[in-house]
């Protein structure tokens, strides 16, 4: 069942990428201001589908890396971090296309250009978000097939085809149709064949290798369960003036950027923790953690609205900025296909996963009570001096959950030797 689901994701990720690339109206030389305004529906579909494509590639890469134990573990660690932290961060950037669309539908071209220049000059967004996102995206695409082939999970021919598809996409993504589809189509064939190979290729020697890569993933997962609430608290405490008043953010733009960046990375850091609980929990906990991890990959991207809104408010009068915000929030495809389900499932999942851990006997029942109260406090208190209650409760609950998980053994378990039959007397 897991292999069939994984093969489905192997198909969907490049398929979504192909469709998103095909519907992109900003192709060829037509890259100037106003193209989004002329094709609002196409831009919405392109942005949401492209975001989904890169989010779906995260489980694709994690699945290809999962069988690795020691052989290829160094490359696997880099590729795994690039996918979990970098590619998730990169997928959030697609929301900025919708922000540009909202600007073009509301502001004159000159103001759109100035707001975009302000956004591109935000150093906290550049070095804390765009650079790691782009680097992780590229490393995940290029290193994952190599690590999987080196570890004999897939063949080198399959890895070469996946790399060729990635290079073609990087080279021709905004070329006219049908040239821009070359990369996604090659990737579709390569990754589908990789799924077929994983069901047939077996290497008995790999089962006896020390699970150094698995131990690494577990350690990062434990770190994420503790670090995520801490970074979440930092994001809430750096909100300018500890107030939801947007004018405070305009008066303290650097602090507003820091807060948005902390909040983004808080949700991202929860992802490796959920992946750990997915691997170590029983059925309900495993499923709940997998769904929550996938939802958190979407939720982290919503912080792009904070950066884009700040850039607009630093550029145009408040009444025009409010119209841009209203237009951004009015895109039904963005709300239904990204924002609302991501937020809803993420917050419910942060409650459900500890409940599953308590049912599994990993923790006492008051641990999910703590995490549940933490989520409720976040929704009830919002921004303000008391907002620290939520991350403190989440830190206590998830810290105890991380501590309760037994360490992963480095060596694979071997069956106990059977006693040799004794000769009859």
């Amino acid at each position: 069942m897991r292999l069939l689901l994984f093969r489905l994701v192997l198909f969907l990720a490049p398929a979504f990428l192909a469709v998103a690339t095909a519907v992109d109206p900003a192709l060829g030389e037509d890259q100037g201001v106003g193209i989004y305004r002329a094709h609002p529906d196409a831009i919405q579909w392109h942005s949401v589908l492209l975001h989904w494509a890169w989010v779906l590639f995260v489980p694709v890469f994690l699945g290809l890396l999962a069988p690795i134990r020691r052989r290829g573990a160094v490359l696997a660690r880099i590729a795994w971090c690039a996918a979990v932290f970098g590619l998730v961060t990169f997928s959030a950037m697609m929301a900025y296309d919708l922000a540009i669309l909202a600007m073009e539908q509301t502001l004159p071209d000159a103001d759109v250009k100035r707001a975009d220049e302000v956004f591109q000059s935000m150093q906290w967004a550049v070095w804390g978000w765009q650079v790691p996102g782009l680097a992780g995206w590229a490393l995940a695409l290029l290193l994952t097939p190599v690590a999987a082939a080196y570890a004999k999970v897939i063949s080198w021919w399959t890895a070469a085809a996946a790399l060729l598809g990635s290079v073609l996409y990087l080279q021709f993504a905004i070329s006219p149709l049908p040239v821009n589809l070359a990369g996604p189509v090659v990737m579709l064939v390569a990754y589908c064949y990789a799924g077929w190979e994983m069901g047939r290729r077996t290497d008995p020697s790999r089962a006896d290798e020390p699970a150094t890569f698995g131990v690494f993933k577990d350690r990062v997962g434990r770190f994420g369960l503790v670090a995520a609430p801490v970074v979440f608290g930092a994001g809430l405490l750096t909100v300018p003036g500890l107030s939801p008043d947007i004018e405070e953010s305009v008066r303290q733009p650097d602090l507003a950027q820091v807060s948005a960046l902390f909040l983004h990375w808080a949700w991202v850091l929860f992802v490796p923790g959920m992946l750990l609980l997915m691997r170590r929990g029983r059925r309900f906990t495993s499923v709940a953690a997998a769904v929550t991890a996938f939802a958190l990959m979407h939720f982290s991207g919503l912080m792009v609205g904070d950066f884009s809104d700040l850039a607009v408010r630093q550029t145009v009068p408040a009444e025009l900025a409010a119209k841009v915000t209203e237009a951004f929030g009015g895109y039904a495809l963005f709300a239904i296909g990204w924002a609302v389900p991501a937020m809803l499932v993420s917050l419910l999942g942060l409650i459900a996963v500890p409940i599953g851990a308590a049912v599994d006997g990993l923790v006492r029942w008051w641990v999910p009570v703590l995490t549940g109260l933490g989520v409720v406090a976040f929704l009830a208190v919002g921004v303000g001096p008391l907002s620290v209650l939520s991350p403190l409760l989440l830190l206590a609950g998830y810290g105890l959950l991380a501590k309760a998980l037994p360490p992963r053994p480095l060596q694979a378990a071997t069956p106990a030797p059977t006693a040799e039959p004794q000769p009859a007397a």
Side-chain angles (χ1 to χ4, degrees):
M1 180 63 183
R2 287 188 176 184
L3 181 59
L4 288 175
L5 183 61
F6 178 56
R7 285 173 173 171
L8 176 62
V9 177
L10 282 169
F11 169 78
L12 289 177
F16 273 44
L17 182 61
V19 177
T21 304
V23 300
D24 185 3
L27 298 175
E29 300 298 325
D30 198 0
Q31 301 289 322
V33 175
I35 185 65
Y36 286 19
R37 184 189 297 120
H39 304 277
D41 293 335
I43 285 297
Q44 291 181 58
W45 280 106
H46 167 70
S47 299
V48 173
L49 286 172
L50 192 59
H51 164 77
W52 268 87
W54 296 125
V55 170
L56 284 168
F57 264 110
V58 176
V60 166
F61 294 150
L62 298 186
L64 289 172
L65 298 172
I68 296 176
R69 296 179 65 84
R70 183 180 63 183
R71 181 181 174 87
V74 174
L75 281 176
R77 289 170 185 170
I78 300 172
W80 189 87
C81 289
V84 172
F85 301 117
L87 187 54
V88 170
T89 299
F90 177 76
S91 71
M93 296 182 186
M94 276 68 260
Y96 187 60
D97 288 341
L98 298 173
I100 291 289
L101 173 61
M103 295 180 205
E104 290 195 2
Q105 290 185 316
T106 312
L107 305 175
D109 289 354
D111 287 341
V112 174
K113 289 181 179 179
R114 289 195 298 127
D116 182 56
E117 289 172 357
V118 172
F119 179 85
Q120 299 297 342
S121 67
M122 291 179 169
Q123 294 304 302
W124 286 101
V126 170
W127 295 104
W129 184 9
Q130 296 179 37
V131 171
L134 286 166
W137 169 63
L139 286 173
L141 280 172
L142 300 177
L143 290 186
T144 302
V146 175
Y150 183 73
K152 299 182 180 180
V153 177
I154 60 175
S155 67
W156 280 107
W157 287 108
T158 305
L163 291 173
L164 175 62
S166 298
V167 171
L168 288 173
Y169 177 77
L170 294 173
Q171 182 68 31
F172 301 112
I174 59 173
S175 297
L177 283 165
V179 176
N180 60 343
L181 295 181
V185 169
V186 173
M187 293 168 75
L188 178 65
V189 175
Y191 283 108
C192 285
Y193 190 77
W196 180 82
E197 279 191 322
M198 290 183 70
R200 295 174 59 89
R201 291 173 65 90
T202 57
D203 185 2
S205 64
R206 196 166 59 223
D208 297 328
E209 291 180 350
T212 55
F213 179 50
V215 171
F216 167 80
K217 291 188 292 183
D218 281 14
R219 288 174 177 171
V220 178
R222 290 174 192 271
F223 171 78
L225 290 175
V226 175
V230 174
V231 177
F232 181 42
L236 292 177
L237 291 176
T238 51
V239 173
L242 291 177
S243 169
D245 184 6
I246 192 64
E247 293 304 321
E248 288 289 341
S249 297
V250 177
R251 285 191 286 269
Q252 303 180 68
D254 288 337
L255 194 59
Q257 293 178 56
V258 171
S259 176
L261 191 63
F262 275 141
L263 291 174
H264 163 75
W265 280 103
W267 303 123
V268 172
L269 284 167
F270 265 121
V271 172
M274 293 297 123
L275 295 175
L276 168 63
L277 295 170
M278 179 189 73
R279 295 190 300 270
R280 306 296 291 277
R282 296 177 186 172
R283 178 166 297 182
F284 175 81
T285 307
S286 180
V287 172
V291 173
T292 305
F294 193 66
L296 286 164
M297 295 176 195
H298 297 274
F299 191 15
S300 67
L302 301 184
M303 275 68 258
V304 70
D306 295 341
F307 287 104
S308 62
D309 187 59
L310 179 61
V312 172
R313 291 181 181 275
Q314 290 183 293
T315 307
V316 301
E319 59 272 13
L320 286 178
K323 291 182 179 179
V324 175
T325 303
E326 183 181 357
F328 192 179
Y331 298 136
L333 186 60
F334 173 68
I336 297 172
W338 185 343
V340 174
M343 182 180 296
L344 181 63
V345 176
S346 294
L347 296 179
L348 289 176
L350 291 176
I351 300 174
V353 171
I355 292 175
V359 172
D360 290 346
L362 290 174
V363 293
R364 300 291 182 89
W365 276 102
W366 47 271
V367 170
V369 171
L370 287 173
T371 56
L373 289 174
V375 173
V376 171
F378 169 61
L379 296 174
V381 176
V383 177
L386 294 179
S387 61
V388 73
L389 287 175
S390 175
L392 286 176
L393 289 166
L394 290 172
L395 176 61
Y398 276 102
L400 290 169
L401 182 52
K403 183 179 180 181
L405 290 172
R408 173 192 285 266
L410 182 64
Q411 201 70 35
T414 54
T418 57
E420 294 184 3
Q422 298 296 322

